[in-house]
Amino acid sequence: QGVRGPDADKGGYDGSSFWARSGVAEALTQFPGDVYGPNQPPAIADLAGAQTIAGGIAAALFKRERTGEPSVVDVSLLGLGAWMMSPNIIAHKVFADVPSPTFTRADAPNPIANRYRTKDDRVVHLVMLQAVKYWPELISAVGRPDLATDPRFTDPKAMFDNRAEAIRILDE
């Protein structure tokens, strides 16, 4: 989103700013006709972008402090793309060589950090990381205020246990 332009004061999230708006999701869609696109690995752009930029800036400042010479921080998109796979590599080791848990769109761990098709045949990618906190407002906005206090969705465990139902409701 950058520091200029109409969205400069809005928050930026990897799921919306990087994944959806940049076109990465469309480029990585694996199945023809898949209207939802690929499932996004967690924090992919946040991790890679922040670490790469911070490392480059730190190295440039260290060089300037030691030599007095300035540097240009230039981040390789190919290198960044390779680094972006690190969460999957780490998860592989964390789960002791057992494949890390995977979820489909229909049983995603957080129903409101997911993709939905609209009535006008567009896809909306919600990025609300605190599902229980934002559920009442979202469900009211889509015309189902009766579900704002439904016990299936009022605490984190209940929301997780009933995530498929929450997704089904939002699909409607």
Side-chain angles (χ1 to χ4, degrees):
Q1 311 209 125
V3 296
R4 295 180 191 87
D7 294 335
D9 294 327
K10 294 181 180 177
Y13 299 95
D14 60 339
S16 56
S17 299
F18 175 83
W19 190 255
R21 291 182 82 181
S22 73
V24 170
E26 183 178 24
L28 295 178
T29 298
Q30 299 174 16
F31 307 105
D34 180 0
V35 298
Y36 296 105
N39 210 6
Q40 176 190 351
I44 193 166
D46 292 343
L47 173 69
Q51 191 165 14
T52 303
I53 291 167
I57 292 169
L61 289 171
F62 181 77
K63 177 184 173 189
R64 186 184 73 184
E65 187 269 325
R66 290 293 169 103
T67 68
E69 297 176 23
S71 296
V72 173
V73 177
D74 186 7
V75 177
S76 162
L77 291 176
L78 180 57
L80 185 58
W83 179 252
M84 289 173 11
M85 294 311 297
S86 66
N88 295 43
I89 295 165
I90 292 167
H92 178 71
K93 294 315 270 180
V94 167
F95 291 101
D97 295 331
V98 173
S100 59
T102 58
F103 301 94
T104 66
R105 191 196 72 78
D107 70 343
N110 179 349
I112 61 175
N114 206 343
R115 296 142 352 257
Y116 294 93
R117 184 148 302 277
T118 64
K119 286 183 182 180
D120 63 352
D121 204 32
R122 298 176 75 187
V123 173
V124 173
H125 187 157
L126 302 177
V127 185
M128 296 179 219
L129 303 181
Q130 296 171 310
V132 173
K133 178 179 180 180
Y134 295 109
W135 176 259
E137 184 178 354
L138 173 65
I139 207 69
S140 293
V142 298
R144 292 295 309 271
D146 57 300
L147 296 172
T149 58
D150 186 313
R152 296 175 296 172
F153 313 116
T154 56
D155 69 72
K157 183 177 181 338
M159 179 66 81
F160 181 82
D161 289 346
N162 294 290
R163 66 194 186 275
E165 178 63 9
I167 292 167
R168 188 195 64 73
I169 290 166
L170 291 171
D171 275 340
E172 289 177 3

